[in-house]
């Protein structure tokens, strides 16, 4: 599933100052702008098998490390979806300046929906890959026992005494690999490069505080709240073997695609997990480009 005909072109890492913080980003290609937004714990490199292909197809592809992730600064502040949305709005104004295709995975997909709903002039089309329902679970989404367990866990994560110890356990390379084995159906896609991509930013000063802040942050707006305000074309791709955002949670998108087939396309990806753009990039690249091509012809 992970085969590539040619080795991906190395991604140039660039820096941009946002509100006194360094934001790492990359850009490749020329043409219609496209913005790639990663999920929790990921970074620009998670798109390494997508950016060169999308750029070669005639798009000017931007990807950035959200504040707190990857090569971007990791200040000890309150993190939220709204903070990252403000970052994306300002990044668009500074670097793009034309309606763009927003492509997101997990919380990146939810951010793409937020941008489309709140800033429709900035977003021409949206591609959602295994979209998250929130930055964190809402209390009503959990049974009483799990709600109690998660409440205790968030207290421990935020603890000055226990939090750093827990983070050290979570960020160990063997633990990262085991976590990836839960969310990637194709284990051959779990390479040393992928593990290092996630591990390296966790060594940065401030990474533990970011981890604690995000895990205790409010969930933010839900797709149910956002979708009635999104009128752009939407492509929904969903790995059907995802244990984190199970495909059963994609019902709202399936129903929307059935009701508005000319605007919304829903395509499950058989045998893929939570990050299909990395697990089976050839499939995702083809589906995205075919959909965009059909829309441009229309």
């Amino acid at each position: 599933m992970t085969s590539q005909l040619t080795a991906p072109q190395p991604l140039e890492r660039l820096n941009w100052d946002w509100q006194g913080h360094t934001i790492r980003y990359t850009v490749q290609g020329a043409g219609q702008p496209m913005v790639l937004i990663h999920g929790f714990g990921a970074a620009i490199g998670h798109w390494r098998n997508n950016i060169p292909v999308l750029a070669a197809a005639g798009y000017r592809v931007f990807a950035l490390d959200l504040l707190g992730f990857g090569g971007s600064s990791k200040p000890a502040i309150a993190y939220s979806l709204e903070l990252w949305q403000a970052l994306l709005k300002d990044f668009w104004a500074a670097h793009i300046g034309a309606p763009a295709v927003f492509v997101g995975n997990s919380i990146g997909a939810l951010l793409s929906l937020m941008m489309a709903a709140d800033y429709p002039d900035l977003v021409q089309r949206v591609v959602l890959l295994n979209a998250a329902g929130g930055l964190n679970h809402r209390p009503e989404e959990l049974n009483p026992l799990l709600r109690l367990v998660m409440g205790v866990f968030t207290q421990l994560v935020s603890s000055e005494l226990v939090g750093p110890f827990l983070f050290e356990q979570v960020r160990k390379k063997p633990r990262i690999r085991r976590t990836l084995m839960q969310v990637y159906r194709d284990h051959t896609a779990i390479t040393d490069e992928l593990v290092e991509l996630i591990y390296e930013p966790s060594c940065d000063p401030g990474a533990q505080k970011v981890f604690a802040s995000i895990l205790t942050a409010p969930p933010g707006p839900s797709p149910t709240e956002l979708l009635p305000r999104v009128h752009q074309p939407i492509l929904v791709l969903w790995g059907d073997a995802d244990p984190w955002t199970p495909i059963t949670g994609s019902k709202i998108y399936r129903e929307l695609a059935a009701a508005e087939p000319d605007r919304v396309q829903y395509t499950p990806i058989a045998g893929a997990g939570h990050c299909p753009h990395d697990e089976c990039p050839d499939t995702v690249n083809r589906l995205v480009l075919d959909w965009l091509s059909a829309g441009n012809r229309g």
Side-chain angles (χ1 to χ4, degrees):
M1 296 175 70
T2 57
S3 63
Q4 293 287 321
L5 296 178
T6 58
Q9 180 181 339
L11 303 178
E12 181 183 11
R13 263 62 173 186
L14 304 168
N15 291 326
W16 171 59
D17 181 81
W18 182 67
Q19 298 185 4
H21 306 301
T22 297
I23 301 299
R24 180 70 51 83
Y25 75 98
T26 191
V27 58
Q28 195 172 121
Q32 183 181 9
M34 179 183 291
V35 184
L36 309 183
I37 310 171
H38 64 77
F40 178 78
I44 289 168
H46 213 200
W47 303 102
R48 65 200 181 282
N49 294 318
N50 312 107
I51 293 172
V53 176
L54 298 172
Y59 293 89
R60 183 162 175 78
V61 184
F62 297 84
L64 70 161
D65 292 343
L66 296 173
L67 187 68
F69 292 113
S72 291
S73 296
K74 298 172 180 64
I77 60 175
Y79 287 84
S80 67
L81 289 169
E82 289 77 11
L83 173 75
W84 291 321
Q85 183 186 36
L87 165 61
L88 290 168
K89 179 176 180 289
D90 291 347
F91 182 85
W92 180 93
H95 298 282
I96 302 172
V101 179
F102 275 69
V103 182
N105 172 231
S106 192
I107 60 170
L110 187 54
L111 280 165
S112 297
L113 273 185
M114 289 173 64
M115 293 297 293
D118 294 335
Y119 305 110
D121 293 343
L122 279 58
V123 183
Q124 186 191 62
R125 290 171 171 266
V126 181
V127 179
L128 309 177
L129 298 157
N130 291 59
L135 182 53
N136 288 302
H137 286 292
R138 296 169 178 81
E140 65 272 15
E141 296 172 346
L142 305 173
N143 63 51
L145 177 59
L146 191 54
R147 193 180 311 165
L148 176 63
V149 170
M150 290 303 296
V152 172
F153 179 71
T154 53
Q155 286 184 332
L156 292 174
V157 164
S158 303
S159 165
E160 292 289 339
L161 182 65
V162 182
F165 171 78
L166 283 177
F167 182 68
E168 283 301 313
Q169 306 313 305
V170 168
R171 78 179 192 93
K172 289 180 177 178
K173 290 184 181 180
R175 178 63 60 85
I176 292 173
R177 190 176 293 273
R178 286 196 295 272
T179 300
L180 289 168
M181 290 179 71
Q182 295 174 16
V183 298
Y184 277 58
R185 181 66 176 269
D186 178 10
H187 291 174
T188 66
I190 305 171
T191 61
D192 291 343
E193 179 188 21
L194 176 61
V195 173
E196 191 66 29
L197 185 155
I198 297 170
Y199 170 77
E200 185 178 353
S202 75
C203 301
D204 292 349
Q208 184 267 326
K209 293 287 188 181
V210 172
F211 179 74
S213 176
I214 292 174
L215 287 188
T216 56
S222 69
T224 304
E225 299 169 50
L226 294 169
L227 282 167
R229 297 192 288 117
V230 176
H231 304 291
Q232 299 91 329
I234 302 173
L235 172 65
V236 182
L237 303 178
W238 210 290
D240 70 358
D242 182 358
W244 278 7
T245 53
I247 197 166
T248 52
S250 67
K251 181 182 177 183
I252 187 172
Y253 300 104
R254 291 199 309 271
E255 292 177 345
L256 190 60
E260 301 183 54
D262 291 338
R263 186 175 71 89
V264 182
Q265 180 176 317
Y266 171 88
T267 303
I269 302 178
H274 188 62
C275 308
H277 62 289
D278 187 47
E279 189 174 349
C280 46
D282 294 339
T283 298
V284 168
N285 292 338
R286 174 180 54 79
L287 289 170
V288 170
L289 291 173
D290 286 353
W291 178 71
L292 290 172
S293 177
N296 290 334
R297 289 196 302 269

Short mmCIF file of all heavy atoms in Angstrom, two decimals, residues 139 142-156:
data_model
loop_
_atom_site.label_atom_id
_atom_site.label_comp_id
_atom_site.label_asym_id
_atom_site.label_seq_id
_atom_site.Cartn_x
_atom_site.Cartn_y
_atom_site.Cartn_z
N PRO A 139 -17.86 15.36 27.48
CA PRO A 139 -18.29 14.48 28.57
C PRO A 139 -19.47 13.58 28.21
O PRO A 139 -19.52 12.41 28.59
CB PRO A 139 -18.66 15.47 29.69
CG PRO A 139 -17.81 16.66 29.41
CD PRO A 139 -17.71 16.75 27.91
N LEU A 142 -18.93 10.07 26.60
CA LEU A 142 -18.29 9.00 27.35
C LEU A 142 -19.27 8.39 28.34
O LEU A 142 -20.09 9.10 28.94
CB LEU A 142 -17.07 9.53 28.11
CG LEU A 142 -16.00 10.25 27.26
CD1 LEU A 142 -14.96 10.87 28.18
CD2 LEU A 142 -15.36 9.29 26.28
N ASN A 143 -19.16 7.08 28.56
CA ASN A 143 -19.97 6.47 29.61
C ASN A 143 -19.41 6.91 30.96
O ASN A 143 -18.27 7.38 31.06
CB ASN A 143 -20.00 4.94 29.47
CG ASN A 143 -18.63 4.31 29.65
OD1 ASN A 143 -17.92 4.59 30.62
ND2 ASN A 143 -18.24 3.45 28.71
N PRO A 144 -20.19 6.78 32.05
CA PRO A 144 -19.76 7.32 33.35
C PRO A 144 -18.39 6.82 33.81
O PRO A 144 -17.59 7.61 34.33
CB PRO A 144 -20.87 6.86 34.29
CG PRO A 144 -22.07 6.76 33.41
CD PRO A 144 -21.56 6.27 32.09
N LEU A 145 -18.10 5.54 33.60
CA LEU A 145 -16.81 5.01 34.05
C LEU A 145 -15.66 5.62 33.26
O LEU A 145 -14.65 6.07 33.84
CB LEU A 145 -16.80 3.48 33.90
CG LEU A 145 -15.47 2.79 34.28
CD1 LEU A 145 -15.11 3.10 35.74
CD2 LEU A 145 -15.56 1.29 34.05
N LEU A 146 -15.81 5.66 31.94
CA LEU A 146 -14.75 6.23 31.11
C LEU A 146 -14.60 7.73 31.39
O LEU A 146 -13.48 8.26 31.35
CB LEU A 146 -15.06 5.99 29.64
CG LEU A 146 -13.94 6.29 28.64
CD1 LEU A 146 -12.67 5.55 29.01
CD2 LEU A 146 -14.36 5.92 27.22
N ARG A 147 -15.70 8.39 31.68
CA ARG A 147 -15.64 9.81 32.01
C ARG A 147 -14.81 10.02 33.27
O ARG A 147 -13.99 10.94 33.34
CB ARG A 147 -17.06 10.34 32.21
CG ARG A 147 -17.16 11.86 32.25
CD ARG A 147 -18.60 12.29 32.46
NE ARG A 147 -19.51 11.61 31.54
CZ ARG A 147 -20.82 11.56 31.68
NH1 ARG A 147 -21.39 12.14 32.74
NH2 ARG A 147 -21.58 10.95 30.80
N LEU A 148 -14.99 9.13 34.25
CA LEU A 148 -14.21 9.21 35.49
C LEU A 148 -12.74 8.95 35.22
O LEU A 148 -11.86 9.67 35.71
CB LEU A 148 -14.76 8.20 36.51
CG LEU A 148 -13.98 8.09 37.83
CD1 LEU A 148 -14.04 9.43 38.58
CD2 LEU A 148 -14.55 6.97 38.69
N VAL A 149 -12.47 7.91 34.43
CA VAL A 149 -11.08 7.56 34.12
C VAL A 149 -10.38 8.70 33.39
O VAL A 149 -9.24 9.08 33.71
CB VAL A 149 -11.03 6.27 33.27
CG1 VAL A 149 -9.62 6.02 32.74
CG2 VAL A 149 -11.49 5.07 34.10
N MET A 150 -11.05 9.28 32.41
CA MET A 150 -10.46 10.37 31.65
C MET A 150 -10.26 11.61 32.52
O MET A 150 -9.28 12.34 32.36
CB MET A 150 -11.33 10.71 30.44
CG MET A 150 -11.34 9.65 29.35
SD MET A 150 -9.68 9.26 28.74
CE MET A 150 -9.22 10.84 28.01
N GLY A 151 -11.18 11.83 33.45
CA GLY A 151 -11.03 12.95 34.36
C GLY A 151 -9.79 12.83 35.23
O GLY A 151 -9.04 13.80 35.43
N VAL A 152 -9.57 11.62 35.74
CA VAL A 152 -8.38 11.37 36.56
C VAL A 152 -7.12 11.51 35.71
O VAL A 152 -6.12 12.11 36.13
CB VAL A 152 -8.44 9.96 37.20
CG1 VAL A 152 -7.12 9.62 37.88
CG2 VAL A 152 -9.59 9.88 38.19
N PHE A 153 -7.16 10.97 34.48
CA PHE A 153 -5.98 11.02 33.60
C PHE A 153 -5.61 12.47 33.28
O PHE A 153 -4.43 12.83 33.32
CB PHE A 153 -6.26 10.26 32.31
CG PHE A 153 -5.11 10.29 31.34
CD1 PHE A 153 -3.95 9.59 31.58
CD2 PHE A 153 -5.20 11.06 30.18
CE1 PHE A 153 -2.88 9.64 30.69
CE2 PHE A 153 -4.14 11.12 29.28
CZ PHE A 153 -2.99 10.40 29.54
N THR A 154 -6.60 13.30 32.98
CA THR A 154 -6.29 14.69 32.63
C THR A 154 -5.71 15.43 33.84
O THR A 154 -4.83 16.29 33.67
CB THR A 154 -7.53 15.43 32.12
OG1 THR A 154 -8.60 15.30 33.07
CG2 THR A 154 -7.99 14.88 30.80
N GLN A 155 -6.15 15.07 35.04
CA GLN A 155 -5.57 15.68 36.24
C GLN A 155 -4.10 15.27 36.40
O GLN A 155 -3.24 16.09 36.74
CB GLN A 155 -6.36 15.27 37.48
CG GLN A 155 -7.71 15.97 37.60
CD GLN A 155 -8.42 15.61 38.89
OE1 GLN A 155 -8.23 14.52 39.44
NE2 GLN A 155 -9.25 16.51 39.38
N LEU A 156 -3.81 14.00 36.14
CA LEU A 156 -2.44 13.51 36.26
C LEU A 156 -1.54 14.13 35.21
O LEU A 156 -0.40 14.51 35.48
CB LEU A 156 -2.41 11.98 36.14
CG LEU A 156 -3.07 11.20 37.28
CD1 LEU A 156 -3.09 9.71 36.95
CD2 LEU A 156 -2.32 11.44 38.59
#
